Amino acid sequence: MKFKDHVKEGLLTKNPVTVQLLGMCSTLAITTSLFNGLGMGLAVTVILICSNVLISALRNFIPSQIRIAAYIVIIAGFVTIVDLILQAYLQELSESLGVFIPLIVVNCMILGRAEAFASKNGVLASALDGLCQGFGYTVALVVVCVIRELLGSGTFGGGILNNGEGIRIIPQGFPAMQMVMPVGGFLALGFVIAGSQWLMRKLEHRKKDKEAVR
Amino acid sequence: MEGAYSQALLGILFSAILSENFILVKFYGICPFMGVSKKIDTALGMGMAVTFVMALASAACYGVNLALEALDLQYMQTVVFILVIASIVQVVEMFLKKSVPALYKALGVFLPLITTNCAVLGVALVNVQAGYDFLLSVVNGAAGGLGFTLAIVLFASIRERVEKAECPQAFKGFPIALITAGLMALAFMGFSGMKIF
Amino acid sequence: MKQESVVKYILRLALTLLLITGVVAAALAGINSITAPKILENQQAKIRAAIQTVLPEANISGEVAFTDATGLVKTVYGSDKGYAVEVAPVGFGGDITMLVGVSHEGKILGVAVVSQTETAGLGAIVAADSQAGQSFRDQFVGLSGTLAVEKDGGEIDSVTGATITSRAVTDGINAALSCVADLEKVG
């Protein structure tokens, strides 16, 4: 598979969040500020690349009967390493993501990629797959974050820009607080997935039109 | 002190099922919530299996955590918990297959899926973080599972109808399901005032 | 693949898994030995910073032994200006760890939240550096005795939509106040 195809799959046609619907717990729970979304996306990407590489390297060594258990141990190991490093050096992020960092272990996306891709492909391809899928995950998270933060708190870039306060776009008192609460998570993700389905169909139509013209 | 304890117990029970519902408020276990909620029967089966495993896992992880604390190995928590949960699921599956085949037939297909259900690992981690004792942990696990069952069964029954309804093309499938779940979460927010303390 | 006995087969599986787990455990132990001191330091720095905000310009003399009937008080730090009491009342989403500065006369000098897991945008406001959070915490300064939120007939304005959190913070502050009152009685 070519690099371009990998990127396209990760971002749109096989995006882990909007198409495969994997790793939904964290997508819904922590997407309340840009800081959270970027942090979670990067953490997952790093863990995904590491676990993909290691599992791909060990794919001939692990007997298939115990492969799931072995994958889980490897993934849990990387998750704990990232968790400890965040607690030590990026305390703010670790506090704001809370229990959802250890819960990356059961993010079906990582186990899913291990089983569907890394266990069958070479180390380099697996690393690339991890990078693209992780990137697609991060982009989807950030989009949901931006929507929820803008509508729910009225700011952009909360936790990063403007001393962590975020840049205020909607004056205080107007934003719909429900958007940063659980309700907003479901609604925002629903609309984002609908948007990506609409976009994909449009692209497909355009391709068909082109072919018809020819 | 006894009164305060039973109050805490009741508080955990009610908040885990309603005001702090595992799915609709805390977002644990969304994957099976979306994945296995197309039919009421399967949703109920999944819910029961999850409740059972969550209560067991809470009990087991409480014991395991005591051992980890004694050995000063708290940083191994995530790895050990997920292994414990995976083995519990495996043992439950084998046990049911041998001794209660009827129940195995009903729940069997869902059991392997439970290992990667965030609700199970989530409840184990939350129990430790909140410092619950053995009884509170088990109650929190079981009540969390009941909350999960309640949400997934309600959701499945709405979804059976939504599937047949007309909706914009782009919203077909998961988007409309997510929005339905969002409206349910809105309804569950109403419980948040109901805290027994 | 050549045939092998069942026992050997199971042993091979178990040993492979054991090996992987062992390697993972060793790697974690290594990482932990690097990060553990840093994590501890972070936590202590956070508590120190919080003590500084609730007892400005005080000379902290160290931890003080205390008695507490509520079970909410965790640690008490003594100083020349008063006490910094670490309390952990139960909020909406778990424990709210906070420090309350109390003068020897039993007046509140300051309130700082160290860690909390309240709902973002609602309960979490009590800990935020924003104007709303600041004014919620500042209203306690100078008060004494037993406090209650407005809904319970008291004088504390709750954060909008977060009565449970506001009530929990007030409970924690009451525990700190009564704990200091006991300390002063004895001392």
Side-chain angles (χ1 to χ4, degrees):
Chain A
M1 218 172 356
K2 272 187 240 141
F3 179 68
K4 220 179 111 188
D5 294 336
H6 260 295
V7 176
K8 198 180 161 199
E9 274 201 350
L11 261 181
L12 195 63
T13 54
K14 278 200 183 157
N15 185 294
V17 177
T18 59
V19 179
Q20 303 181 55
L21 301 160
L22 297 174
M24 307 271 284
C25 303
S26 47
T27 315
L28 289 164
I30 52 87
T31 48
T32 48
S33 73
L34 188 61
F35 180 59
N36 278 359
L38 272 180
M40 189 65 169
L42 289 180
V44 168
T45 308
V46 168
I47 293 167
L48 187 57
I49 296 174
C50 293
S51 72
N52 257 5
V53 166
L54 192 62
I55 286 168
S56 161
L58 294 176
R59 69 184 186 279
N60 295 325
F61 169 72
I62 301 173
S64 71
Q65 288 83 354
I66 53 157
R67 66 181 193 285
I68 302 289
Y71 296 165
I72 289 180
V73 172
I74 290 170
I75 294 168
F78 281 121
V79 170
T80 310
I81 289 173
V82 168
D83 188 13
L84 289 174
I85 291 176
L86 286 183
Q87 276 183 38
Y89 302 104
L90 266 174
Q91 212 193 351
E92 269 175 41
L93 184 64
S94 128
E95 267 167 23
S96 108
L97 297 179
V99 75
F100 285 95
I101 295 179
L103 282 183
I104 296 176
V105 177
V106 283
N107 188 325
C108 341
M109 170 186 165
I110 296 176
L111 193 61
R113 287 327 282 178
E115 172 77 1
F117 197 92
S119 61
K120 295 176 191 120
N121 288 283
V123 173
L124 213 61
S126 299
L128 190 61
D129 178 72
L131 182 67
C132 294
Q133 288 285 322
F135 183 61
Y137 180 77
T138 311
V139 169
L141 277 196
V142 166
V143 169
V144 179
C145 280
V146 168
I147 296 175
R148 284 182 75 184
E149 199 193 330
L150 178 66
L151 297 179
S153 326
T155 53
F156 174 77
I160 308 176
L161 303 170
N162 196 10
N163 288 333
E165 285 269 289
I167 299 166
R168 183 154 290 287
I169 295 171
I170 303 175
Q172 224 145 22
F174 285 98
M177 217 152 47
Q178 283 72 17
M179 286 306 286
V180 288
M181 299 185 52
V183 186
F186 285 113
L187 293 185
L189 189 62
F191 276 92
V192 167
I193 294 179
S196 88
Q197 283 189 359
W198 175 82
L199 190 66
M200 269 193 299
R201 249 185 359 163
K202 197 149 194 201
L203 288 179
E204 220 164 85
H205 273 298
R206 196 176 289 165
K207 215 165 137 196
K208 268 189 198 148
D209 286 348
K210 258 190 201 161
E211 274 161 13
V213 168
R214 253 180 235 156
Chain B
M1 219 38 217
E2 190 128 284
Y5 188 78
S6 55
Q7 207 177 29
L9 206 63
L10 263 180
I12 287 175
L13 188 66
F14 276 100
S15 64
I17 297 177
L18 296 174
S19 61
E20 294 273 295
N21 187 285
F22 264 57
I23 291 183
L24 295 170
V25 179
K26 289 202 167 160
F27 294 123
Y28 298 147
I30 299 289
C31 297
F33 180 64
M34 301 306 289
V36 224
S37 58
K38 287 201 170 133
K39 282 215 177 97
I40 299 181
D41 302 351
T42 45
L44 191 62
M46 183 69 179
M48 274 156 49
V50 167
T51 309
F52 188 55
V53 173
M54 267 171 84
L56 264 183
S58 298
C61 287
Y62 178 79
V64 168
N65 190 54
L66 282 187
L68 284 182
E69 263 172 15
L71 294 169
D72 212 11
L73 282 174
Q74 279 105 324
Y75 61 90
M76 288 292 287
Q77 222 176 48
T78 317
V79 179
V80 175
F81 279 13
I82 190 74
L83 273 179
V84 168
I85 291 168
S87 2
I88 287 179
V89 171
Q90 201 79 53
V91 170
V92 167
E93 195 179 349
M94 288 194 285
F95 173 77
L96 286 184
K97 205 173 183 177
K98 276 256 159 80
S99 45
V100 202
L103 198 60
Y104 177 76
K105 249 190 193 154
L107 303 184
V109 278
F110 307 113
L111 283 169
L113 282 175
I114 293 176
T115 312
T116 52
N117 184 338
C118 337
V120 184
L121 182 61
V123 82
L125 290 169
V126 166
N127 282 341
V128 170
Q129 263 176 17
Y132 289 155
D133 67 10
F134 182 74
L135 186 61
L136 292 183
S137 298
V138 175
V139 167
N140 194 26
L146 288 178
F148 178 92
T149 313
L150 178 70
I152 198 171
V153 169
L154 285 177
F155 185 54
S157 50
I158 299 177
R159 226 176 140 183
E160 279 185 353
R161 285 150 200 268
V162 169
E163 290 288 312
K164 296 198 179 85
E166 294 259 334
C167 80
Q169 194 76 47
F171 280 91
K172 282 244 165 83
F174 279 106
I176 196 72
L178 275 169
I179 288 167
T180 313
L183 296 178
M184 279 179 70
L186 196 60
F188 268 71
M189 250 170 72
F191 290 121
S192 64
M194 243 183 56
K195 183 126 183 171
I196 307 174
F197 273 122
Chain C
M1 214 169 85
K2 66 173 193 286
Q3 283 284 318
E4 50 185 357
S5 70
V6 181
V7 179
K8 227 175 166 184
Y9 170 71
I10 290 175
L11 260 180
R12 189 166 62 96
L13 293 190
L15 281 178
T16 318
L17 203 53
L18 193 69
L19 184 68
I20 292 172
T21 318
V23 172
V24 168
L28 286 186
I31 299 274
N32 182 59
S33 66
I34 301 169
T35 54
K38 181 82 188 149
I39 294 171
L40 194 67
E41 196 181 299
N42 280 347
Q43 280 162 352
Q44 282 166 348
K46 232 179 144 180
I47 301 234
R48 265 202 307 277
I51 294 177
Q52 280 303 317
T53 38
V54 297
L55 288 177
E57 292 160 36
N59 290 317
I60 307 296
S61 50
E63 290 182 21
V64 180
F66 64 93
T67 52
D68 163 48
T70 57
L72 298 179
V73 179
K74 300 297 167 203
T75 327
V76 178
Y77 304 90
S79 82
D80 51 343
K81 297 260 169 64
Y83 301 93
V85 188
E86 189 185 336
V87 285
V90 184
F92 190 73
D95 286 0
I96 305 171
T97 306
M98 47 185 216
L99 276 158
V100 186
V102 185
S103 71
H104 290 290
E105 296 79 38
K107 273 199 175 147
I108 299 168
L109 299 172
V111 179
V113 177
V114 181
S115 72
Q116 49 85 21
T117 47
E118 301 300 284
T119 319
L122 288 176
I125 288 179
V126 303
D129 283 329
S130 65
Q131 219 182 346
Q134 197 67 50
S135 61
F136 175 76
R137 292 192 300 268
D138 280 351
Q139 63 179 325
F140 290 101
V141 175
L143 299 179
S144 57
T146 305
L147 307 171
V149 292
E150 247 177 11
K151 254 195 187 154
D152 303 336
E155 58 280 79
I156 302 301
D157 276 332
S158 317
V159 172
T160 317
T163 310
I164 291 162
T165 309
S166 309
R167 207 176 269 161
V169 169
T170 314
D171 285 348
I173 288 171
N174 284 336
L177 286 173
S178 71
C179 176
V180 168
D182 287 346
L183 277 175
E184 285 293 312
K185 239 184 265 164
V186 177

